[in-house]
């Protein structure tokens, strides 16, 4: 049952988990959950026992997109379809169970590439029907907010979550599971998207984040005075598209890549410093504003060691616990989907016969 909307421009939201008193609820459905994640270009499946024990986890990164320097939606959908059956069989075998031991399926239903989401949801529905078990839809961003719990245990609330990936830059106050206040997000490009675009300008390939990070380690962060967009704005939003343009303008007189190695390292280091200044400043400001007891990171950009170090220092100075998932659980993965699905089932969620996909975060029922 949903709560009445709260007053204010950015109200707290609740997830769509059904009330435990719902007719037909099967509390034991959370016992052995198969998670399926296909929202972008990673095909991932997981088997989670008792909501906490990760018995098997497979992530297949789709290499085909490297050829094109970015994710090609049609190719992603096709690859999900080809990869899912084998990955699921593999995960079930690795978990040491039989398909009949599964008690439910949790699948990403939003947000993401619509064709990719459709493949995962259609597959989950068909498999759930064949096994006679419920299928619940999970919000991908909500799952990122809680991914750290798989390794760190339950978060102290209120917590702050920073989700930074190729598609999202979200700063969220987590008051409880299912109770969120959106504090900020990007007005244009996501942080990971900026890393990918700048890597392309430097001729470093896709995905760009790890390549920029390794070049940045050998460069001077003060070599270029790139802008820190929205750093001084009173809100907690971000903007990275102008920063990418500033890098393009700095590189324009130099012609086409490959560039001199030292030059590329200096650009990478100066760009990374600008992104991290923005992410760190607003995240620490949000910690101070909310009095959060923990900071949780999620999304591929959270693999960036310099970002982790800067946030670790800020958290230590404030006595705040930093909860960073290991790289596998930062990036897109089915373990976090299975976990959130298991929580929804334990709270009484039942199979949704109308389960459908939604591409945007706003229309998914979360976000600003
Ligand atoms: O969460 P993710 O695996 O997929 C989605 O975008 O949903 O995140 C991928 C993004 C890419 O933009 C990639 O360049 C970025 O995360 N990324 C990094 C690093 N590793 C991955 N960005 C900065 N530093 C990294 N070490
Ligand atoms: Zn993601």
């Amino acid at each position: 049952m949903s709560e009445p909307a709260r007053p204010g421009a950015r109200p707290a939201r609740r997830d769509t988990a059904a009330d435990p008193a719902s007719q037909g609820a099967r509390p034991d459905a959370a016992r052995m959950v198969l998670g399926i994640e296909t929202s972008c270009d990673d095909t991932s499946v997981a088997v989670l026992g008792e909501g906490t024990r990760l018995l098997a986890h497979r992530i297949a990164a789709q290499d085909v997109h490297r050829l094109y320097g970015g994710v090609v939606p049609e190719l992603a959908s096709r690859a999900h379809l080809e990869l899912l059956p084998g990955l699921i069989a593999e995960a079930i075998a690795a978990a040491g169970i039989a398909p009949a031991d599964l008690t439910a399926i949790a699948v990403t239903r939003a947000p993401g590439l619509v064709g990719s989401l459709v493949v995962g949801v259609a597959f989950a529905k068909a498999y759930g029907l064949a096994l006679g078990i419920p299928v619940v839809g999970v919000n991908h961003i909500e799952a990122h907010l809680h991914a750290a719990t798989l390794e760190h245990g339950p978060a102290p609330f209120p917590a702050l979550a920073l989700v930074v990936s190729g598609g999202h830059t979200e700063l969220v106050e987590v008051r409880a599971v299912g109770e969120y206040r959106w504090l900020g997000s990007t007005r244009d490009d996501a942080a990971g998207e900026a890393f990918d675009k700048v890597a392309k300008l430097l001729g470093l390939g896709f995905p760009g984040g790890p390549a920029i990070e390794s070049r940045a380690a050998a460069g001077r962060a003060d070599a270029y005075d790139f802008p820190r967009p929205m750093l001084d704005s009173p809100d907690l939003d971000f903007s990275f598209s102008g920063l990418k343009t500033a890098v393009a303008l700095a590189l324009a007189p130099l012609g086409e890549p490959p560039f001199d190695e030292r030059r590329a390292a200096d650009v990478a280091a100066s760009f990374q410093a600008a992104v991290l200044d923005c992410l760190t400043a607003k995240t620490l400001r949000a910690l101070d504003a909310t009095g959060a007891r923990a900071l949780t990171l999620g999304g591929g950009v959270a693999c960036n060691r310099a970002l982790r170090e800067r946030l670790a220092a800020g958290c230590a100075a404030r006595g705040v616990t930093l909860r960073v998932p290991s790289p596998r659980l930062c990036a897109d993965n089915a373990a976090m989907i299975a976990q959130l699905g298991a929580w929804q089932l334990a709270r009484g969620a039942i199979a949704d016969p109308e389960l459908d996909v939604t591409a945007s975060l706003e229309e998914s029922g979360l976000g600003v």
Side-chain angles (χ1 to χ4, degrees):
M1 280 185 280
S2 59
E3 284 191 340
R6 298 173 190 210
R10 293 183 170 186
R13 312 264 184 161
R14 296 198 68 85
D15 67 11
T16 51
D19 189 276
S22 302
Q23 279 195 346
R26 293 171 41 172
D28 70 326
R31 201 159 35 78
M32 190 67 73
V33 176
L34 173 69
I36 299 179
E37 155 65 33
T38 64
S39 68
C40 190
D41 61 334
D42 293 304
T43 315
S44 180
V45 304
V47 178
L48 190 71
E50 311 297 345
T52 53
R53 282 188 305 124
L54 191 55
L55 301 176
H57 194 198
R58 294 287 184 276
I59 304 174
Q62 302 175 357
D63 278 344
V64 62
H65 306 289
R66 284 178 195 273
L67 292 172
Y68 302 93
V71 178
V72 183
E74 287 79 4
L75 296 181
S77 310
R78 198 177 307 166
H80 287 310
L81 197 54
E82 283 162 6
L83 288 164
L84 270 179
L87 280 185
I88 289 176
E90 226 181 281
I92 287 174
I97 61 166
D101 296 323
L102 292 170
T103 55
I105 299 175
V107 62
T108 305
R109 64 163 182 82
L113 299 173
V114 73
S116 291
L117 291 167
V118 163
V119 171
V121 167
F123 198 100
K125 280 182 176 175
Y127 200 40
L129 199 64
L131 294 174
I133 57 177
V135 178
V136 291
V138 168
N139 188 298
H140 178 90
I141 297 299
E142 186 179 7
H144 271 304
L145 300 180
H146 301 290
T149 297
L150 284 158
E151 293 168 324
H152 295 255
F157 295 127
L160 181 74
L162 174 69
V163 177
V164 266
S165 68
H168 293 276
T169 310
E170 315 288 342
L171 207 41
V172 184
E173 183 186 18
V174 182
R175 294 172 168 174
V177 177
E179 199 173 327
Y180 311 113
R181 186 162 66 109
W182 239 256
L183 301 174
S185 46
T186 183
R187 301 264 177 104
D188 40 55
D189 292 355
E193 190 179 354
F195 271 91
D196 293 335
K197 286 178 174 170
V198 167
K200 201 168 185 176
L201 291 171
L202 289 170
L204 299 179
F206 175 84
I212 296 267
E213 178 172 20
S214 67
R215 295 304 187 294
R220 294 169 300 152
D222 59 356
Y224 291 85
D225 187 18
F226 291 136
R228 271 72 174 151
M230 297 186 72
L231 187 63
D232 297 321
S233 65
D235 52 56
L236 294 169
D237 284 340
F238 305 92
S239 164
F240 296 110
S241 131
L243 174 55
K244 170 207 66 190
T245 306
V247 175
L249 289 174
L251 290 173
L254 305 176
E256 295 296 311
F259 301 112
D260 163 73
E261 252 176 51
R262 276 195 54 179
R263 173 96 66 171
D266 283 348
V267 170
S270 302
F271 160 77
Q272 178 173 280
V275 175
L276 299 198
D277 276 354
C278 298
L279 290 176
T280 309
K282 296 239 163 155
T283 302
L284 297 181
R285 236 183 274 165
L287 279 178
D288 293 337
T290 56
R293 297 166 60 204
L295 171 64
T296 295
L297 302 188
V301 183
C303 295
N304 187 285
R305 279 185 301 272
L307 176 64
R308 291 172 177 220
E309 280 162 18
R310 289 177 64 165
L311 291 174
C315 284
R318 289 166 175 77
V320 168
T321 307
L322 179 61
R323 295 157 52 85
V324 191
S326 58
R328 257 172 98 71
L329 296 178
C330 278
D332 288 348
N333 69 86
M336 67 180 188
I337 303 301
Q339 173 181 251
L340 187 54
W343 292 352
Q344 290 177 193
L345 289 157
R347 289 168 59 186
I350 53 174
D352 176 6
E354 305 293 312
L355 178 60
D356 204 355
V357 306
T358 309
S360 84
L361 178 63
E362 292 70 23
E363 284 167 22
S364 77
L366 289 177
V368 287

